[in-house]
């Protein structure tokens, strides 16, 4: 406002009056040109004005689901003041610092009690990041000693193939397991409980001994307390024996050696012990702590001593576990049953597993619908150290993964969502290097082509025949396969063997798809699209019309599956020219004969090996170097022209090339060629 004084006359007197005016009365009048110009309307941002006004008046930002501590921080008041104000606000029951306030009206009433104005905003992003950190679940910290109770030891039987591991377990539990395995070879990890004669229970894991199942054996070593290393007394230390010893050292698991097959006449116990000592095992008889028990699994010799050694080792280790709280365990094996659905064999390591528990394992989860022991009998609960078959998985867990129990299915879904997000991020990070590498290759190829066009000239590149764009895969035969197995461990072992294939330059091996379970219609459609062979390992195959148009090969022994695949790869290789040597002769003398007006050289020879045939090809060698390779013009015995010469018979040979001069001491080979099928050079290791 502006103040001005004005003097005016009223009658015969002069009076002074104070006038008040504002800024609007001092505005400049518009000119005629300005009045004719279009009117410009300026709008002020109301949100910004309201925000600035709210900030100017000291409004506090609030949002839904903010905690009591966050509200105290925003109000800039002590936590005790906020909690005291909440006592006078209806509905504000939980005054804990971490309690979430769901109703905005309650938050506004709390702030009003404290004399503050509020403004509703979106929740800050930092808070959502903090929530993400708590979405995953992890094993619990170690339990206090007073909660720990004795549990049965987990013993893994390991060793080389055909050294008698499964037969030993048969004798221990009185069941014929080896007869149920294809070819007498263990294809899976078996987990079961055995009650020894002293009344103690022991959980045994039987792992395959073949090289193809190294990953399965590695999982057995991690999940075990004691390793029983079975060594055949007549074979001694073999390849898988060394691998088991290395695994045990890395996992720091004690070893008990079961020296098997001592009843055989060719058994050499002392030699086997020496080889074990050379592998770094400190045997008891040499002052170490590794027990060596000579046994015969087939006849049951000294099995009591082996059981006593296992019991003693478990007692010394003092194995205990916490049977209370949320369950923790390890997946030993997983499979899809056509009648019962997805199943997993697991060992409980902590807590007590019961029906209805919600479990997480990697990216799979389950609400337990049934528990079964190794004989298929239902269980009500599974304590620590117990092997159990779990029914109720929504997805198939991977063998070797950790099992964790959560309180509710809602939390399980939240954890799975978080883990899937993390897996996608990891996949993007791992593939970024490959993408960058391919981009660099593309740029290098583009620059090379651009430089070639520049050097060739703009007009020169236009003429001539166009070069066809050839795919680098063209011309190379390929075999596409789909692998379906009964359990995850078998599929993994087959894929590990296929990873050793290194002859893609001769014939490509493409793995179109793999999975656990029976062959489905989707697998048949996929096989048709890619012209693939379906290898069904111990699973059922469909008997439909669609299946007749697809190659489906069923096997239950991995060696036979790989042998068939090698035949398929070999059948795709083109035949090659092979050479077969028929005979060999030594040049004794070189002389010339008259052929018309010309003198032509003739080699006087004696056949030393096989037969020399005139119609076949001949090679002249001098000091290992090929002088001539071609056909004969003439073959004579004495003065007669003949078609063949046998061993220890002298003859005269004349080559078609008259310039070739044989010398005494040269070697002449007679050979023939034929087309022969190739075989793949792939060596899977067995």
């Amino acid at each position: 406002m502006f103040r001005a004084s004005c003097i005016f006359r009223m009658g015969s007197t002069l009076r002074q009056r104070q006038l008040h005016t504002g800024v609007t009365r001092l505005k400049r009048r518009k000119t005629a040109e300005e009045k004719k110009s279009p009117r410009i309307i300026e709008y002020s941002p109301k949100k910004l004005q309201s925000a600035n006004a709210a900030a100017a008046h000291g409004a506090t930002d609030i949002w839904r689901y903010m905690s009591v501590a966050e509200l105290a921080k925003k109000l800039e008041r002590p936590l005790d003041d906020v909690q005291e104000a909440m006592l006078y606000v209806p509905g504000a029951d939980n005054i804990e610092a971490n309690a979430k306030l769901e109703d905005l009206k309650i938050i506004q009433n709390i702030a009003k009690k404290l004399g503050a104005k509020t403004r509703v905003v979106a929740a800050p992003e930092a808070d959502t990041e903090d929530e993400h950190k708590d979405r995953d679940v992890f094993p619990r910290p170690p339990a206090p000693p007073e909660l720990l109770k004795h549990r049965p030891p987990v013993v893994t039987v390991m060793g080389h193939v055909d050294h008698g591991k499964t037969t030993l377990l048969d004798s221990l539990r009185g069941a014929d397991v080896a007869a149920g395995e294809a070819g007498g070879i263990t294809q899976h990890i078996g987990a079961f409980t055995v009650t020894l004669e002293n009344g103690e229970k022991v959980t045994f894991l039987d792992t395959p001994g073949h090289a193809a199942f190294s990953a399965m054996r590695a999982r057995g070593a991690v999940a075990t307390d004691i390793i029983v290393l079975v060594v055949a007394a007549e074979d001694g230390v073999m390849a898988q024996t060394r691998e088991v010893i290395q695994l045990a050292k890395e996992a720091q698991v004690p070893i008990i050696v079961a020296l098997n097959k001592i009843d055989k006449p060719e058994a050499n116990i002392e030699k086997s012990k020496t080889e074990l000592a050379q592998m770094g095992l400190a045997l008891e008889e040499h002052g170490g702590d590794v027990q060596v028990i000579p046994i015969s699994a087939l006849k049951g010799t000294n099995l009591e001593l082996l059981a006593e050694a296992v019991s003693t080792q478990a007692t010394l280790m003092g194995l205990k576990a916490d049977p209370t709280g949320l369950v923790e365990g390890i997946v030993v094996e997983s499979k899809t049953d056509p009648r019962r659905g997805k199943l997993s064999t697991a060992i409980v390591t902590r807590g007590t597993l019961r029906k209805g528990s919600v479990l997480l394992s990697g990216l799979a989860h389950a609400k337990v619908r049934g528990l079964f022991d190794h004989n298929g009998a239902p269980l009500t609960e599974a304590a620590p150290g117990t092997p159990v078959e779990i029914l109720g998985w929504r997805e198939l867990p991977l063998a070797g993964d950790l099992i964790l129990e959560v309180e509710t299915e809602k939390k399980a879904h939240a954890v799975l969502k978080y883990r899937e997000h993390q897996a996608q991020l990891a996949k993007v990070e791992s593939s970024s290097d490959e993408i960058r590498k391919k981009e660099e290759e593309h740029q290098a190829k583009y620059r090379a082509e651009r430089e070639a066009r520049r050097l060739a000239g703009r007009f020169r590149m236009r003429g001539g025949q166009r070069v066809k764009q050839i795919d680098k895969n063209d011309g190379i035969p390929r075999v596409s396969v789909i692998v379906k197995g009964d359990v995850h461990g078998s599929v993994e072992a087959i894929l590990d063997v296929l990873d050793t294939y290194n002859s893609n330059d001769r014939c490509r091996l493409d793995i179109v798809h793999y999975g656990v379970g029976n062959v489905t219609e989707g697998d048949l459609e996929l096989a048709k699209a890619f012209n693939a062979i379906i290898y069904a390992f111990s699973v059922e195959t469909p008997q439909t019309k669609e299946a007749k148009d697809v190659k489906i090969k069923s096997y239950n022994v991995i060696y036979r599956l790989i042998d068939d695949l090698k035949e398929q790869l070999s059948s795709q290789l083109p035949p090659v020219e092979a050479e077969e040597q028929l005979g060999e002769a030594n040049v004794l003398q070189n002389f010339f004969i008259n052929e018309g007006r010309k003198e032509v050289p003739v080699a006087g020879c004696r056949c030393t090996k096989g037969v020399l045939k005139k119609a076949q090809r001949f090679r002249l060698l001098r000091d290992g170097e090929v002088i001539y390779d071609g056909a004969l013009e003439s073959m004579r015995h004495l003065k007669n022209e003949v078609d063949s010469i046998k061993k220890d018979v002298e003859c005269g040979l004349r080559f078609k090339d008259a310039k070739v001069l044989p010398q005494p001491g040269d070697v002449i080979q007679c050979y023939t060629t034929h087309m022969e099928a190739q075989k793949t050079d792939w060596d899977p290791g067995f």
Side-chain angles (χ1 to χ4, degrees):
M1 298 292 291
F2 297 92
R3 180 179 298 173
S5 59
C6 181
I7 301 173
F8 61 94
R9 182 184 296 272
M10 276 188 70
S12 60
T13 60
L14 294 174
R15 293 183 181 271
Q16 184 175 2
R17 179 181 294 180
Q18 299 291 335
L19 299 177
H20 300 273
T21 183
V23 179
T24 54
R25 294 186 175 274
L26 298 179
K27 287 173 63 176
R28 181 179 62 84
R29 290 186 179 182
K30 292 182 180 180
T31 62
E33 294 180 358
E34 290 176 342
K35 289 179 180 179
K36 293 179 182 179
S37 63
R39 187 180 179 187
I40 300 175
I41 303 175
E42 295 182 357
Y43 295 96
S44 58
K46 293 183 179 180
K47 290 185 179 180
L48 183 62
Q49 287 182 355
S50 60
N52 293 337
H57 289 83
T60 303
D61 293 342
I62 62 171
W63 58 90
R64 192 184 296 274
Y65 298 111
M66 70 185 307
S67 65
V68 177
E70 290 172 340
L71 179 58
K73 184 178 179 181
K74 283 293 180 182
L75 292 172
E76 298 180 356
R77 299 289 294 270
L79 181 62
D80 295 339
D81 292 355
V82 177
Q83 291 174 334
E84 185 178 356
M86 291 176 66
L87 298 176
Y88 300 97
V89 176
D93 301 326
N94 193 352
I95 64 172
E96 295 294 330
N98 295 327
K100 299 292 184 180
L101 302 173
E102 300 180 3
D103 196 344
L104 283 172
K105 290 184 178 180
I106 294 177
I107 301 174
Q108 291 171 343
N109 291 335
I110 295 171
K112 190 175 180 181
K113 291 287 183 184
L114 295 171
K117 296 181 180 180
T118 57
R119 180 169 64 99
V120 180
V121 297
E125 295 182 359
D127 295 343
T128 57
E129 292 178 1
D130 293 338
E131 291 176 5
H132 281 296
K133 294 179 182 177
D134 301 330
R135 283 189 178 177
D136 207 352
V137 289
F138 303 95
R140 292 179 288 158
E146 59 268 14
L147 294 179
L148 300 179
K149 292 185 179 181
H150 177 74
R151 67 167 176 84
V154 179
V155 180
T156 303
V157 180
M158 289 185 167
H160 194 73
V161 64
D162 199 29
H163 273 202
K165 301 181 298 298
T166 308
T167 307
L168 171 61
L169 292 168
D170 292 347
S171 303
L172 287 173
R173 68 172 178 169
D176 188 9
V177 178
E181 293 286 356
I185 302 165
T186 304
Q187 307 279 344
H188 316 109
I189 294 182
F192 48 84
T193 302
V194 174
T195 303
L196 303 179
E197 291 185 359
N198 56 8
E200 295 188 7
K201 290 186 176 181
V202 178
T203 298
F204 279 99
L205 293 179
D206 179 22
T207 58
H210 190 268
F213 299 88
S214 59
M216 297 170 71
R217 281 200 306 279
R219 284 196 298 273
V222 172
T224 189
D225 300 315
I226 303 170
I227 290 178
V228 172
L229 177 59
V230 180
V231 180
E234 81 272 20
D235 291 338
V237 175
M238 302 294 284
Q240 275 71 53
T241 312
R242 299 187 185 94
E243 182 184 342
V244 171
I245 294 173
Q246 185 63 30
L247 285 171
K249 289 181 179 179
E250 292 176 357
Q252 297 181 351
V253 179
I255 293 178
I256 297 175
V257 179
L259 204 56
N260 194 20
K261 302 183 181 180
I262 60 172
D263 54 322
K264 286 194 173 183
E266 59 269 21
N268 192 335
I269 297 177
E270 294 303 322
K271 179 188 174 185
S272 300
K273 288 183 178 180
T274 303
E275 291 178 351
L276 289 169
Q278 291 174 352
M279 288 299 299
L281 293 182
L283 307 183
E284 267 190 344
E285 55 194 59
H286 298 157
D289 55 356
V290 177
Q291 304 178 67
V292 180
I293 313 296
I295 65 167
S296 173
L298 191 62
K299 296 185 178 181
T301 308
N302 293 337
L303 292 186
E304 298 83 3
L305 294 177
L306 179 62
E308 184 180 345
V310 171
S311 179
T312 303
Q313 182 66 44
T315 304
L316 292 174
M317 296 174 69
L319 300 173
K320 293 183 178 181
D322 176 17
T324 62
L326 298 176
V327 173
E328 298 175 15
I330 296 176
V331 179
V332 176
E333 193 55 273
S334 58
K335 64 180 180 178
T336 301
D337 190 282
R339 297 167 185 83
R340 296 189 294 169
K342 297 177 175 63
L343 301 171
S344 72
T345 302
I347 292 181
V348 180
T349 58
R350 188 174 182 180
T352 302
L353 182 60
R354 295 181 178 87
K355 198 172 178 181
S357 301
V358 180
L359 304 179
L360 282 171
S361 178
L363 297 178
H365 80 290
K367 187 172 183 180
V368 180
R369 292 192 285 117
L371 301 174
F372 306 93
D373 63 5
H374 61 276
N375 291 321
L379 297 174
T380 55
E381 61 181 27
T386 306
V388 61
E389 194 172 48
I390 302 172
L391 174 64
W393 290 97
R394 305 294 196 275
E395 301 86 16
L396 203 63
L398 301 181
D401 281 358
L402 187 67
I403 294 177
L404 296 174
E405 182 184 4
V406 293
E407 295 84 354
T408 61
E409 284 194 271
K410 183 178 179 181
K411 185 171 183 179
H413 288 302
V415 174
L416 284 177
K417 191 174 181 181
Y418 172 76
R419 288 183 177 181
E420 288 171 358
H421 178 66
Q422 294 298 111
Q424 289 177 357
L425 292 179
K427 187 177 181 180
V428 170
E429 290 179 2
S430 62
S431 60
S432 60
D433 295 336
E434 298 179 6
I435 294 173
R436 195 179 303 109
K437 185 178 179 181
K438 288 184 178 180
E439 186 177 355
E440 290 175 357
E441 292 176 357
H442 173 74
Q443 291 292 338
K445 183 180 178 181
Y446 167 73
R447 293 191 190 98
E449 292 178 352
R450 185 180 62 182
E451 186 67 16
R453 286 197 300 269
R454 188 184 67 81
L455 294 175
R458 185 176 61 181
F459 299 102
R460 237 180 302 172
M461 288 293 288
R462 287 185 179 180
Q465 186 178 1
R466 242 182 225 191
V467 180
K468 183 182 178 182
Q469 190 71 21
I470 300 175
D471 187 5
K472 63 179 180 180
N473 295 334
D474 285 354
I476 300 179
R478 67 178 62 230
V479 174
S480 302
V481 298
I482 296 174
V483 179
K484 296 300 289 287
D486 55 344
V487 296
H488 175 259
S490 298
V491 176
E492 185 182 40
I494 295 171
L495 294 177
D496 287 343
V497 177
L498 299 186
D499 284 342
T500 63
Y501 183 74
N502 54 2
S503 299
N504 280 311
D505 54 338
R506 300 179 63 197
C507 180
R508 300 188 186 278
L509 176 60
D510 292 340
I511 303 173
V512 177
H513 174 65
Y514 60 88
V516 178
N518 296 335
V519 179
T520 62
E521 293 184 2
D523 298 327
L524 298 177
E525 294 296 329
L526 205 59
K528 286 182 183 178
F530 288 91
N531 193 23
I533 304 171
I534 298 178
Y535 283 102
F537 189 82
S538 300
V539 295
E540 297 178 2
T541 57
Q543 304 295 328
T544 59
K545 293 181 180 179
E546 290 79 5
K548 295 180 181 178
D549 302 331
V550 179
K551 289 184 181 178
I552 303 177
K553 297 180 179 290
S554 299
Y555 292 97
N556 54 11
V557 177
I558 190 172
Y559 318 134
R560 296 170 187 166
L561 186 150
I562 299 302
D563 288 342
D564 182 89
L565 182 56
K566 289 172 69 174
E567 291 180 4
Q568 296 294 331
L569 292 167
S570 300
S571 66
Q572 296 297 319
L573 298 175
V576 294
E577 189 178 29
E579 181 180 303
E580 181 185 358
Q581 189 168 337
L582 301 177
E584 190 174 291
N586 290 336
V587 179
L588 303 178
Q589 183 183 359
N590 180 30
F591 55 91
F592 292 88
I593 62 171
N594 293 322
E595 188 74 27
R597 296 182 179 180
K598 295 182 180 179
E599 287 186 344
V600 292
V602 176
C605 309
R606 178 185 287 115
C607 181
T608 57
K609 292 180 183 178
V611 180
L612 305 179
K613 294 185 177 181
K614 179 183 177 182
Q616 304 303 328
R617 296 179 65 86
F618 286 80
R619 184 183 294 122
L620 178 64
L621 301 175
R622 182 176 300 156
D623 297 329
E625 184 180 354
V626 179
I627 304 299
Y628 173 76
D629 191 345
L632 285 183
E633 181 68 29
S634 173
M635 174 186 286
R636 291 188 180 185
H637 175 60
L638 300 177
K639 293 186 178 181
N640 300 323
E641 188 76 21
V642 294
D643 293 330
S644 63
I645 297 292
K646 297 181 180 179
K647 184 181 178 183
D648 296 330
V649 177
E650 294 183 354
C651 62
L653 302 179
R654 175 186 161 197
F655 300 118
K656 278 199 171 183
D657 189 354
K659 296 179 182 179
V660 179
L661 300 177
Q663 296 180 5
D666 291 350
V667 177
I668 296 177
Q669 293 178 347
C670 176
Y671 69 94
T672 184
T673 59
H674 62 275
M675 301 305 291
E676 190 176 67
Q678 291 191 72
K679 288 188 177 181
T680 180
D681 56 356
W682 176 31
D683 183 13
F686 52 84

